């Protein structure tokens, strides 16, 4: 299957992973409409939008509702790493808005036209941390957990509808999304960090194949299953990782 001529809206398209994914989806024949605060150079068209405010999301939603959208890919996100008690409250609010409220709202705006045509696809890019909630990533993990739940709930609601709901959970990716402290944590915790080019190929394949849910990484897939069955086992397994993260913020 290909995406020939399909109008694909990709949020976060100007970022490191977004620009690569734009090129990959265009290689499958899609017409890319990038959404970001900056010009999306690898897209056919850019819509400048602010996904951190209610008015910005509403304006973008109205724009998308008024034009054809064959596929919506929610990639834009923000991440906080550190002790929860040190996280600024405004940052907590913004994180949930960008990671969960914005995707949910945009889905609501484009779904009616997809239902009217009897075709369409919504793709939500989450994280392995949305299934295995990591310490020091509490708000990020919980927002991605919500995105996963939203995807699953809507998929069940649509039932046998021809509209596909795809949720993809990458693990850590080597991009500018990770600041110096996150990179240091990944190093001391000896966590696998994936090459972004390989990740976007996996994402694009899951999109083209209209997969329901994909977790990248064999070990992460196993941890996701174990966390659902026996979360206290994962608690014990993360104790060492938690201690290493805490040491980075000892002062």
């Amino acid at each position: 299957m290909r995406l020939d001529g399909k109008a694909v809206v990709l949020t976060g398209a100007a970022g490191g992973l977004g620009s690569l994914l734009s090129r990959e989806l265009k290689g499958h024949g899609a017409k890319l409409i990038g959404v970001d605060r900056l010009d999306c150079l690898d897209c056919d068209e850019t819509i400048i939008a602010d996904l951190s405010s209610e008015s910005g999301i509403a304006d973008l939603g109205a724009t998308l509702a008024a034009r054809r959208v064959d596929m919506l890919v929610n990639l834009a996100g923000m991440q906080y790493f550190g002790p929860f008690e040190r996280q600024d409250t405004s940052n907590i609010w913004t994180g949930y808005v960008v990671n969960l409220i914005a995707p949910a709202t945009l889905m609501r705006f484009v779904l009616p036209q997809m239902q009217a045509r009897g075709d369409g696809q919504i793709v939500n890019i989450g994280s392995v941390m949305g299934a295995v909630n990591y310490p020091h990533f509490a708000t990020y993990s919980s927002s991605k957990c919500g995105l996963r739940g939203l995807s699953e709930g809507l998929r069940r609601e649509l039932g046998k509808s021809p509209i596909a709901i795809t949720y993809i959970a990458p693990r850590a990716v080597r991009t500018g999304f990770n600041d110096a402290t996150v990179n240091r944590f990944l190093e001391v915790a000896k966590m696998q960090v994936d090459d972004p080019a390989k990740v976007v190929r996996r994402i694009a394949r899951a999109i083209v194949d209209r997969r329901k849910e994909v977790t990248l990484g064999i070990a992460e897939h196993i941890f996701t299953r174990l966390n659902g069955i026996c979360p206290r086992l994962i608690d014990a397994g993360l104790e060492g990782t938690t201690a290493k993260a805490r040491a980075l913020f000892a002062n």
Side-chain angles (χ1 to χ4, degrees):
M1 296 179 64
R2 284 177 53 84
L3 304 175
D4 293 324
K6 291 189 178 296
V8 177
V9 174
L10 172 64
T11 68
L17 201 63
S19 59
L20 290 176
L21 185 56
S22 297
R23 286 179 235 162
E24 190 72 21
L25 294 177
K26 285 177 66 175
H28 285 276
K31 176 186 176 183
L32 254 294
I33 301 103
V35 175
D36 214 308
R37 291 174 297 178
L38 305 170
D39 192 23
C40 306
L41 301 178
D42 295 286
C43 296
D44 298 296
E45 178 186 349
T46 298
I47 299 175
I48 302 297
D50 178 11
L51 295 180
S52 67
S53 72
E54 183 177 1
S55 60
I57 296 169
D59 289 345
L60 174 60
T63 298
L64 298 184
R67 60 183 296 169
R68 183 183 180 103
V69 177
D70 294 303
M71 181 188 301
L72 170 66
V73 182
N74 288 308
L75 173 64
M78 64 174 292
Q79 174 179 268
Y80 170 81
F81 170 60
F84 181 74
E85 70 274 11
R86 297 188 191 180
Q87 186 174 5
D88 188 270
T89 54
S90 64
N91 184 271
I92 293 174
W93 189 90
T94 304
Y96 283 117
V97 170
V98 174
N99 293 345
L100 181 56
I101 301 300
T105 305
L106 297 182
M107 289 163 66
R108 166 60 183 84
F109 272 109
V110 302
L111 184 60
Q113 61 165 285
M114 294 180 177
Q115 290 174 310
R117 285 195 304 269
D119 187 39
Q121 185 174 6
I122 293 172
V123 181
N124 291 323
I125 309 299
S127 169
V128 167
M129 292 184 184
V132 181
N133 297 290
Y134 268 69
H136 292 82
F137 290 94
T139 53
Y140 176 74
S141 288
S142 57
S143 66
K144 292 299 185 179
C145 181
L147 187 61
R148 183 189 185 206
L150 175 65
S151 304
E152 188 173 82
L154 182 57
R155 186 186 304 119
R156 290 171 176 169
E157 181 176 325
L158 294 175
K160 296 183 179 179
S161 164
I163 299 167
I165 306 296
T166 300
Y167 176 81
I168 304 170
R171 56 189 178 185
V173 185
R174 194 176 298 108
T175 69
F177 189 64
N178 301 321
D179 62 19
T181 307
V182 171
N183 285 326
R184 177 57 181 157
F185 167 69
L186 295 173
E187 180 183 347
V188 298
K190 297 182 180 180
M191 295 178 67
Q192 180 69 40
V193 183
D194 289 332
D195 175 68
K198 293 181 179 179
V199 172
V200 298
R201 286 196 293 270
R202 290 286 307 279
I203 291 174
R205 175 47 55 192
I207 291 172
V208 172
D209 291 345
R210 295 168 74 90
R211 296 280 298 277
K212 293 182 178 180
E213 183 168 334
V214 175
T215 298
L216 304 186
I218 295 175
E220 287 72 15
H221 182 76
I222 294 172
F223 291 155
T224 295
R225 294 294 184 89
L226 283 175
N227 193 73
I229 298 169
C230 189
R232 300 295 78 80
L233 180 62
I234 300 300
D235 285 352
L238 286 175
E239 285 180 357
T241 301
T242 302
K244 291 174 182 177
R246 189 178 299 114
L248 295 175
F249 300 96
N251 298 323

